[in-house]
Amino acid sequence: MPIEPPPPARADIYDVLARLGISYVRHDHDPVYTCDEAARAVPDLGGAAHTKNLFLRDKKGRRHWLVVTLCSKAVDLRALAASIGADNLSLGSPERLAERLQITPGAVTALALVADPQHAVELVVDSDAWRYEALCCHPLVNTSTLVLARADLQRFFDFTGHVPLIVRVPVRG
């Protein structure tokens, strides 16, 4: 049975962005689930970083992370765990994702942190992605892509109270 986030979270993200004065470029497309699909569906959006987002958990399921990195990276989870002080990282289940961020697989995005007022999810941003002036993000669904300026994304993080841990996300050898 598919896990659906509550409808208000989907609609409200545009209200949140408007309240914060965050502008964006929106590109609507068919649903995408991978970076390859997104690359085919979304045109080059002015040199913005095409990102992928990983929802991860530690071995005991006590800590959770949202990792924002470049689509071009094959992430080395073992090395990433060491650099963020975690043990044995793995992908979080769709159920955990829905519970913590009210989204479904394919729609994982930094903007979902709006649904985490208790800060149960830690934010990790790849320094290689953060050097771009703008980044691509889903607006809680995988049928649109938004381009947001890095400064506006930082303003969004300030609003949610999530302090990004900026690290160079390691790649598999």
Side-chain angles (χ1 to χ4, degrees), residues 85-139:
D87 67 343
N88 215 12
L89 289 174
S90 63
L91 291 175
S93 69
E95 294 79 16
R96 284 177 187 267
L97 179 61
E99 177 185 322
R100 303 233 171 19
L101 295 177
Q102 299 180 15
I103 53 174
T104 58
V108 181
T109 174
L111 298 179
L113 293 171
V114 74
D116 181 35
Q118 63 278 62
H119 304 109
V121 177
E122 300 173 56
L123 174 62
V124 176
V125 178
D126 186 350
S127 60
D128 290 334
W130 201 237
R131 69 179 167 80
Y132 283 78
E133 290 298 317
L135 291 88
C136 295
C137 301
H138 287 310

Side-chain angles (χ1 to χ4, degrees), residues 19-96:
R19 278 197 327 260
L20 295 173
I22 293 176
S23 61
Y24 52 84
V25 175
R26 178 177 168 171
H27 181 77
D28 295 324
H29 47 74
D30 289 334
V32 295
Y33 296 92
T34 66
C35 283
D36 288 340
E37 290 175 359
R40 288 190 296 273
V42 179
D44 179 21
L45 298 170
H50 287 268
T51 60
K52 66 179 166 187
N53 301 272
L54 304 173
F55 177 69
L56 303 174
R57 57 170 277 190
D58 67 358
K59 184 176 184 175
K60 296 188 184 217
R62 292 187 184 140
R63 292 177 68 192
H64 297 83
W65 292 266
L66 177 66
V67 178
V68 179
T69 188
L70 297 171
C71 276
S72 59
K73 286 196 171 186
V75 178
D76 181 336
L77 291 181
R78 186 178 303 242
L80 178 62
S83 69
I84 64 172
D87 67 343
N88 215 12
L89 289 174
S90 63
L91 291 175
S93 69
E95 294 79 16
R96 284 177 187 267

